[in-house]
Amino acid sequence: MPHATPARACGHRPRWWTELPLIAVVYGLYSAGRLLVRGDIPAAVDHGLSILRLEKSLHLNFEHPLNRLLTSHPSVGIPADFAYASLHYLVTPALLLWMYRRRAAAYRTARTWLLTSTLIGLIGFTLLPTCPPRLLEAGHGFVDTMAQYSSYGWWGAEASAPRGLGGMTNQYAAMPSLHVGWALWCGVLLWRYGRHPLLRALGVLYPLTILFVVMGTANHYFLDAVAGAAVMGVGALLTRPVMRAAARVTARLRAFVPRRRAHGAPVAATRPPIVGGGCETSAGERFPGRRTPSAYPSDAPQASGSPGRAAAGDSAPAAAR
Protein backbone atom coordinates (compact mmCIF):
# COMPACT_ATOMS: atom_id res chain seq x y z
CA MET A 1 0.00 0.00 0.00
CA PRO A 2 1.59 3.34 -0.98
CA HIS A 3 2.44 5.85 1.71
CA ALA A 4 0.07 8.82 1.62
CA THR A 5 1.29 12.27 2.60
CA PRO A 6 -1.16 14.93 3.78
CA ALA A 7 -2.07 17.45 1.12
CA ARG A 8 -0.68 20.90 1.68
CA ALA A 9 -3.42 23.22 2.85
CA CYS A 10 -4.16 26.14 0.60
CA GLY A 11 -3.64 29.10 2.94
CA HIS A 12 -5.71 32.24 2.67
CA ARG A 13 -3.03 34.46 4.20
CA PRO A 14 -1.21 36.61 1.64
CA ARG A 15 2.55 36.98 1.84
CA TRP A 16 3.65 39.74 4.18
CA TRP A 17 6.07 41.24 1.66
CA THR A 18 3.13 41.92 -0.68
CA GLU A 19 0.85 43.17 2.10
CA LEU A 20 3.15 45.81 3.54
CA PRO A 21 3.60 47.75 0.26
CA LEU A 22 -0.15 47.59 -0.44
CA ILE A 23 -1.10 48.95 2.98
CA ALA A 24 1.66 51.56 2.82
CA VAL A 25 0.49 52.80 -0.58
CA VAL A 26 -3.15 53.15 0.49
CA TYR A 27 -2.25 54.84 3.76
CA GLY A 28 0.15 57.12 1.87
CA LEU A 29 -2.65 58.11 -0.50
CA TYR A 30 -4.94 58.73 2.47
CA SER A 31 -2.39 60.91 4.27
CA ALA A 32 -1.33 62.79 1.14
CA GLY A 33 -4.95 63.34 0.14
CA ARG A 34 -5.79 64.82 3.52
CA LEU A 35 -2.75 67.05 3.28
CA LEU A 36 -3.15 68.24 -0.30
CA VAL A 37 -6.93 68.60 -0.43
CA ARG A 38 -7.18 71.40 2.09
CA GLY A 39 -10.17 72.98 0.42
CA ASP A 40 -11.47 76.50 0.78
CA ILE A 41 -11.45 77.47 4.47
CA PRO A 42 -14.54 79.74 4.28
CA ALA A 43 -16.42 76.91 2.53
CA ALA A 44 -15.22 74.46 5.19
CA VAL A 45 -16.50 76.78 7.93
CA ASP A 46 -19.84 77.10 6.16
CA HIS A 47 -20.12 73.31 5.94
CA GLY A 48 -19.35 72.96 9.63
CA LEU A 49 -21.96 75.54 10.59
CA SER A 50 -24.52 73.86 8.35
CA ILE A 51 -23.92 70.55 10.09
CA LEU A 52 -24.22 72.21 13.49
CA ARG A 53 -27.51 73.91 12.55
CA LEU A 54 -28.89 70.62 11.25
CA GLU A 55 -27.95 68.85 14.47
CA LYS A 56 -29.60 71.53 16.58
CA SER A 57 -32.78 71.28 14.54
CA LEU A 58 -32.78 67.52 15.13
CA HIS A 59 -31.66 67.84 18.78
CA LEU A 60 -28.53 65.82 18.01
CA ASN A 61 -25.89 68.34 19.11
CA PHE A 62 -24.34 66.07 21.74
CA GLU A 63 -20.96 67.77 21.26
CA HIS A 64 -21.72 70.72 23.53
CA PRO A 65 -22.37 68.87 26.82
CA LEU A 66 -19.52 66.41 26.18
CA ASN A 67 -17.12 69.23 25.37
CA ARG A 68 -18.08 71.07 28.57
CA LEU A 69 -17.46 67.88 30.55
CA LEU A 70 -13.93 67.44 29.17
CA THR A 71 -12.94 71.09 29.52
CA SER A 72 -14.23 71.26 33.12
CA HIS A 73 -12.64 67.99 34.32
CA PRO A 74 -8.98 67.45 33.35
CA SER A 75 -9.15 63.93 34.77
CA VAL A 76 -11.48 63.11 31.88
CA GLY A 77 -10.24 65.56 29.25
CA ILE A 78 -6.54 64.66 29.36
CA PRO A 79 -7.05 60.88 28.88
CA ALA A 80 -9.54 61.66 26.13
CA ASP A 81 -6.93 63.78 24.32
CA PHE A 82 -4.36 60.99 24.61
CA ALA A 83 -6.92 58.52 23.27
CA TYR A 84 -7.72 60.76 20.31
CA ALA A 85 -4.05 61.34 19.48
CA SER A 86 -2.88 57.72 19.72
CA LEU A 87 -5.47 54.93 19.63
CA HIS A 88 -6.44 55.61 16.03
CA TYR A 89 -2.88 54.82 14.96
CA LEU A 90 -2.15 51.98 17.40
CA VAL A 91 -5.25 49.82 17.78
CA THR A 92 -6.13 49.63 14.08
CA PRO A 93 -2.74 48.30 12.82
CA ALA A 94 -2.46 46.05 15.90
CA LEU A 95 -5.81 44.46 15.10
CA LEU A 96 -4.87 44.13 11.44
CA LEU A 97 -1.72 42.26 12.50
CA TRP A 98 -3.79 40.10 14.86
CA MET A 99 -6.10 39.15 12.01
CA TYR A 100 -3.10 38.33 9.82
CA ARG A 101 -1.55 36.07 12.45
CA ARG A 102 -4.60 34.46 14.09
CA ARG A 103 -7.48 34.68 11.59
CA ALA A 104 -5.73 34.10 8.29
CA ALA A 105 -8.88 32.90 6.48
CA ALA A 106 -10.68 36.19 7.21
CA TYR A 107 -7.70 38.52 6.98
CA ARG A 108 -7.95 39.31 3.26
CA THR A 109 -11.61 40.31 3.57
CA ALA A 110 -10.95 42.46 6.65
CA ARG A 111 -8.01 44.19 5.01
CA THR A 112 -9.93 44.91 1.80
CA TRP A 113 -12.84 46.30 3.80
CA LEU A 114 -10.56 48.67 5.70
CA LEU A 115 -8.63 49.91 2.67
CA THR A 116 -11.73 50.35 0.52
CA SER A 117 -13.50 52.35 3.22
CA THR A 118 -10.43 54.52 3.77
CA LEU A 119 -10.33 55.48 0.09
CA ILE A 120 -14.06 56.29 0.19
CA GLY A 121 -13.40 58.53 3.19
CA LEU A 122 -10.74 60.34 1.19
CA ILE A 123 -13.40 61.14 -1.41
CA GLY A 124 -15.50 62.67 1.36
CA PHE A 125 -12.61 64.88 2.51
CA THR A 126 -12.17 66.05 -1.06
CA LEU A 127 -15.79 66.83 -1.84
CA LEU A 128 -16.83 68.21 1.53
CA PRO A 129 -14.07 69.97 3.48
CA THR A 130 -15.51 70.63 6.93
CA CYS A 131 -14.38 72.79 9.80
CA PRO A 132 -14.41 70.82 13.09
CA PRO A 133 -16.22 72.31 16.09
CA ARG A 134 -12.96 73.28 17.86
CA LEU A 135 -12.01 75.65 15.01
CA LEU A 136 -15.31 77.53 14.99
CA GLU A 137 -15.49 80.95 16.58
CA ALA A 138 -15.68 80.92 20.38
CA GLY A 139 -19.24 82.22 20.25
CA HIS A 140 -20.43 78.80 19.14
CA GLY A 141 -19.56 77.37 22.54
CA PHE A 142 -16.71 74.94 21.79
CA VAL A 143 -13.30 74.72 23.44
CA ASP A 144 -10.32 73.01 21.78
CA THR A 145 -9.32 70.52 24.47
CA MET A 146 -6.21 69.51 22.52
CA ALA A 147 -4.98 73.09 22.84
CA GLN A 148 -6.18 73.41 26.43
CA TYR A 149 -4.21 70.34 27.57
CA SER A 150 -1.36 70.56 25.05
CA SER A 151 1.23 70.88 27.85
CA TYR A 152 0.42 67.32 28.94
CA GLY A 153 1.04 65.63 25.59
CA TRP A 154 3.17 65.72 22.48
CA TRP A 155 0.63 67.62 20.41
CA GLY A 156 0.42 71.36 19.99
CA ALA A 157 -2.47 73.66 19.33
CA GLU A 158 -3.00 72.27 15.82
CA ALA A 159 -4.93 69.00 15.86
CA SER A 160 -3.17 65.94 17.29
CA ALA A 161 0.04 66.34 15.29
CA PRO A 162 3.30 66.65 17.24
CA ARG A 163 4.39 70.17 18.09
CA GLY A 164 5.70 72.02 15.09
CA LEU A 165 4.11 69.59 12.62
CA GLY A 166 0.58 70.95 12.61
CA GLY A 167 1.07 72.19 9.07
CA MET A 168 1.57 68.59 7.94
CA THR A 169 -2.09 67.70 8.46
CA ASN A 170 -5.39 68.92 7.08
CA GLN A 171 -7.45 70.21 9.98
CA TYR A 172 -10.53 70.62 7.79
CA ALA A 173 -10.96 66.90 7.04
CA ALA A 174 -13.68 66.31 9.60
CA MET A 175 -16.35 64.72 7.36
CA PRO A 176 -16.50 61.75 7.58
CA SER A 177 -14.88 60.76 10.86
CA LEU A 178 -12.56 57.87 10.10
CA HIS A 179 -11.62 57.83 13.78
CA VAL A 180 -15.11 56.47 14.32
CA GLY A 181 -15.08 54.44 11.09
CA TRP A 182 -11.85 52.61 11.90
CA ALA A 183 -12.99 52.07 15.49
CA LEU A 184 -16.19 50.49 14.18
CA TRP A 185 -14.09 48.20 11.96
CA CYS A 186 -12.07 47.16 15.01
CA GLY A 187 -15.21 46.58 17.04
CA VAL A 188 -16.86 44.38 14.42
CA LEU A 189 -13.76 42.20 14.09
CA LEU A 190 -13.31 41.86 17.85
CA TRP A 191 -16.96 40.90 18.26
CA ARG A 192 -16.93 38.43 15.39
CA TYR A 193 -13.54 36.77 15.81
CA GLY A 194 -12.71 37.30 19.47
CA ARG A 195 -13.11 34.04 21.36
CA HIS A 196 -12.84 35.44 24.86
CA PRO A 197 -15.83 37.38 26.26
CA LEU A 198 -13.48 40.22 27.20
CA LEU A 199 -12.49 40.71 23.57
CA ARG A 200 -16.11 40.81 22.51
CA ALA A 201 -16.85 43.34 25.24
CA LEU A 202 -13.99 45.49 23.95
CA GLY A 203 -15.54 45.19 20.50
CA VAL A 204 -18.55 47.06 21.84
CA LEU A 205 -16.77 49.51 24.16
CA TYR A 206 -14.01 50.65 21.83
CA PRO A 207 -16.20 52.27 19.12
CA LEU A 208 -18.38 53.89 21.79
CA THR A 209 -15.29 55.25 23.55
CA ILE A 210 -13.95 56.75 20.34
CA LEU A 211 -17.36 58.28 19.61
CA PHE A 212 -17.30 59.92 23.04
CA VAL A 213 -13.71 61.12 22.54
CA VAL A 214 -14.10 62.68 19.08
CA MET A 215 -17.17 64.68 20.15
CA GLY A 216 -15.93 65.62 23.61
CA THR A 217 -12.63 66.94 22.27
CA ALA A 218 -14.59 68.99 19.69
CA ASN A 219 -12.80 67.32 16.79
CA HIS A 220 -15.97 66.00 15.14
CA TYR A 221 -19.69 66.56 15.02
CA PHE A 222 -22.07 63.73 15.74
CA LEU A 223 -23.05 63.63 12.06
CA ASP A 224 -19.35 63.23 11.17
CA ALA A 225 -19.43 60.04 13.23
CA VAL A 226 -22.61 58.90 11.48
CA ALA A 227 -20.94 59.53 8.13
CA GLY A 228 -17.88 57.54 9.26
CA ALA A 229 -20.10 54.58 10.10
CA ALA A 230 -21.88 54.93 6.75
CA VAL A 231 -18.55 54.90 4.91
CA MET A 232 -17.63 51.65 6.62
CA GLY A 233 -21.01 50.22 5.62
CA VAL A 234 -20.47 51.12 1.97
CA GLY A 235 -16.95 49.72 2.17
CA ALA A 236 -18.33 46.46 3.53
CA LEU A 237 -20.76 46.20 0.61
CA LEU A 238 -17.97 46.84 -1.89
CA THR A 239 -15.48 44.44 -0.33
CA ARG A 240 -16.42 41.32 -2.30
CA PRO A 241 -16.70 43.12 -5.67
CA VAL A 242 -13.30 44.68 -5.06
CA MET A 243 -11.82 41.30 -4.17
CA ARG A 244 -13.29 39.71 -7.31
CA ALA A 245 -11.92 42.51 -9.47
CA ALA A 246 -8.50 42.14 -7.85
CA ALA A 247 -8.61 38.38 -8.45
CA ARG A 248 -9.39 38.92 -12.16
CA VAL A 249 -6.49 41.34 -12.51
CA THR A 250 -4.15 38.92 -10.75
CA ALA A 251 -5.28 36.03 -12.97
CA ARG A 252 -4.63 38.07 -16.12
CA LEU A 253 -1.17 39.03 -14.90
CA ARG A 254 -0.36 35.40 -14.16
CA ALA A 255 -1.60 34.34 -17.59
CA PHE A 256 0.57 37.00 -19.20
CA VAL A 257 3.81 35.63 -17.72
CA PRO A 258 3.64 32.12 -19.30
CA ARG A 259 2.67 33.74 -22.61
CA ARG A 260 5.89 35.73 -22.52
CA ARG A 261 7.85 32.56 -21.84
CA ALA A 262 6.23 30.81 -24.78
CA HIS A 263 7.52 33.54 -27.11
CA GLY A 264 11.16 32.79 -26.51
CA ALA A 265 11.97 33.59 -22.89
CA PRO A 266 14.23 30.91 -21.39
CA VAL A 267 12.57 28.44 -19.09
CA ALA A 268 14.60 27.03 -16.25
CA ALA A 269 15.31 23.33 -16.52
CA THR A 270 13.42 21.26 -14.04
CA ARG A 271 15.18 18.59 -12.05
CA PRO A 272 13.62 15.15 -11.81
CA PRO A 273 11.68 14.70 -8.59
CA ILE A 274 13.27 12.79 -5.76
CA VAL A 275 11.16 9.77 -5.02
CA GLY A 276 11.04 7.45 -2.13
CA GLY A 277 11.29 9.64 0.91
CA GLY A 278 12.35 6.68 3.07
CA CYS A 279 9.98 4.26 1.36
CA GLU A 280 11.02 1.18 -0.62
CA THR A 281 10.82 1.87 -4.35
CA SER A 282 10.49 -0.36 -7.35
CA ALA A 283 13.32 -1.25 -9.68
CA GLY A 284 14.09 1.36 -12.32
CA GLU A 285 13.36 4.49 -10.24
CA ARG A 286 16.32 6.84 -10.44
CA PHE A 287 17.76 8.81 -7.55
CA PRO A 288 19.72 11.84 -8.83
CA GLY A 289 23.31 11.66 -7.73
CA ARG A 290 23.07 7.99 -6.73
CA ARG A 291 23.10 6.24 -10.06
CA THR A 292 24.80 2.85 -9.95
CA PRO A 293 24.84 0.29 -12.75
CA SER A 294 23.11 -2.20 -10.54
CA ALA A 295 20.22 0.16 -9.94
CA TYR A 296 19.07 0.10 -13.57
CA PRO A 297 18.31 -3.31 -15.08
CA SER A 298 18.54 -1.85 -18.60
CA ASP A 299 22.18 -0.74 -18.06
CA ALA A 300 23.50 -4.01 -16.56
CA PRO A 301 23.49 -7.68 -17.65
CA GLN A 302 20.47 -9.65 -16.62
CA ALA A 303 21.02 -11.62 -13.44
CA SER A 304 20.92 -15.35 -13.88
CA GLY A 305 18.78 -17.49 -11.79
CA SER A 306 15.17 -18.11 -11.06
CA PRO A 307 12.57 -15.39 -10.92
CA GLY A 308 12.31 -15.93 -7.22
CA ARG A 309 16.02 -15.11 -6.74
CA ALA A 310 15.67 -11.97 -8.91
CA ALA A 311 12.71 -10.76 -6.92
CA ALA A 312 14.60 -11.29 -3.71
CA GLY A 313 17.61 -9.43 -5.05
CA ASP A 314 15.55 -6.38 -5.96
CA SER A 315 15.04 -5.53 -2.33
CA ALA A 316 18.67 -6.10 -1.34
CA PRO A 317 21.30 -3.33 -1.32
CA ALA A 318 23.38 -2.92 -4.47
CA ALA A 319 26.57 -4.01 -2.71
CA ALA A 320 25.02 -7.30 -1.70
CA ARG A 321 23.82 -8.23 -5.20
Side-chain angles (χ1 to χ4, degrees):
M1 179 177 180
H3 292 272
T5 56
R8 185 177 179 181
C10 181
H12 296 273
R13 180 192 296 144
R15 295 178 175 86
W16 66 268
W17 58 84
T18 61
E19 286 300 290
L20 286 181
L22 173 63
I23 295 172
V25 166
V26 173
Y27 185 75
L29 290 174
Y30 163 70
S31 300
R34 293 191 71 214
L35 177 62
L36 297 175
V37 186
R38 294 178 181 271
D40 184 8
I41 293 179
V45 173
D46 290 340
H47 293 156
L49 292 176
S50 298
I51 292 174
L52 184 59
R53 286 193 294 268
L54 177 60
E55 287 187 353
K56 287 182 177 180
S57 66
L58 299 174
H59 303 287
L60 296 176
N61 55 321
F62 308 121
E63 306 89 356
H64 279 109
L66 293 178
N67 185 240
R68 287 193 293 268
L69 173 66
L70 267 62
T71 54
S72 302
H73 298 84
S75 59
V76 181
I78 294 173
D81 284 344
F82 273 98
Y84 181 83
S86 61
L87 294 184
H88 183 61
Y89 306 102
L90 295 177
V91 176
T92 308
L95 192 57
L96 192 65
L97 180 60
W98 176 72
M99 290 292 296
Y100 181 84
R101 296 290 302 275
R102 299 296 184 88
R103 300 292 183 268
Y107 165 77
R108 196 187 302 269
T109 301
R111 175 259 285 156
T112 306
W113 177 21
L114 179 66
L115 298 185
T116 303
S117 301
T118 299
L119 293 177
I120 296 174
L122 180 57
I123 297 174
F125 301 150
T126 305
L127 298 179
L128 192 67
T130 303
C131 177
R134 64 184 179 83
L135 294 182
L136 295 175
E137 294 181 356
H140 294 286
F142 292 104
V143 176
D144 187 352
T145 64
M146 304 295 293
Q148 179 181 358
Y149 302 122
S150 61
S151 60
Y152 293 91
W154 59 83
W155 56 86
E158 297 177 315
S160 58
R163 290 184 180 88
L165 299 178
M168 298 298 293
T169 184
N170 181 6
Q171 299 189 72
Y172 296 93
M175 170 68 79
S177 171
L178 286 187
H179 269 76
V180 173
W182 287 11
L184 182 61
W185 177 86
C186 294
V188 170
L189 296 184
L190 286 172
W191 176 265
R192 184 169 183 179
Y193 299 107
R195 294 178 179 176
H196 196 279
L198 179 59
L199 290 178
R200 302 190 73 184
L202 288 174
V204 176
L205 292 177
Y206 180 62
L208 295 177
T209 300
I210 296 301
L211 177 62
F212 168 83
V213 164
V214 299
M215 291 194 297
T217 58
N219 277 284
H220 288 283
Y221 306 95
F222 174 71
L223 291 181
D224 292 346
V226 173
V231 163
M232 299 308 295
V234 174
L237 293 176
L238 293 178
T239 294
R240 293 196 180 278
V242 168
M243 292 179 67
R244 286 195 294 266
R248 286 194 295 267
V249 171
T250 302
R252 290 180 181 178
L253 290 176
R254 289 177 178 174
F256 177 73
V257 174
R259 198 176 300 127
R260 289 289 302 273
R261 289 181 178 178
H263 283 80
V267 180
T270 57
R271 298 179 61 185
I274 299 176
V275 297
C279 305
E280 186 175 329
T281 59
S282 60
E285 290 183 325
R286 303 190 175 203
F287 293 80
R290 296 186 182 180
R291 298 184 177 181
T292 59
S294 60
Y296 313 112
S298 60
D299 299 335
Q302 295 291 333
S304 60
S306 63
R309 290 181 59 191
D314 285 341
S315 60
R321 279 185 276 170

